[in-house]
Amino acid sequence: MINIFNVVMRIVSSVIGLVMTAMGTIWILQGQNLAFRRGFMVGDYHWTIYGAILAVLGVAQVIWSNTRQIKA
């Protein structure tokens, strides 16, 4: 039962990391005024920085969730 839990949590953690990376990429593009040109984030360099941080954290989340050791 614990192995099933670990597999499910790895999948959930990976999906969260992928969503974080996608959101960060969108924020970067909006901050650079390259995509979705409506809203308060467009053309504001702060969102480029926030997006880069979120994207890096998302990649780290995916790497961490798929390389950690399972204690059974």
Side-chain angles (χ1 to χ4, degrees):
M1 188 69 173
I2 197 131
N3 288 332
I4 295 172
F5 178 78
N6 283 330
V7 169
V8 170
M9 286 301 110
R10 277 182 190 238
I11 292 170
V12 169
S13 182
S14 294
V15 168
I16 290 171
L18 290 173
V19 169
M20 289 169 61
T21 304
M23 283 178 55
T25 303
I26 291 170
W27 290 1
I28 291 169
L29 293 174
Q30 282 186 317
Q32 293 295 316
N33 200 16
L34 296 173
F36 310 109
R37 297 181 183 200
R38 296 187 70 181
F40 63 94
M41 296 166 65
V42 176
D44 188 356
Y45 75 93
H46 289 100
W47 289 104
T48 303
I49 296 168
Y50 301 151
I53 292 169
L54 185 63
V56 167
L57 289 175
V59 169
Q61 176 76 19
V62 171
I63 291 170
W64 175 80
S65 66
N66 290 302
T67 58
R68 64 187 178 91
Q69 298 294 321
I70 297 175
K71 295 180 181 178

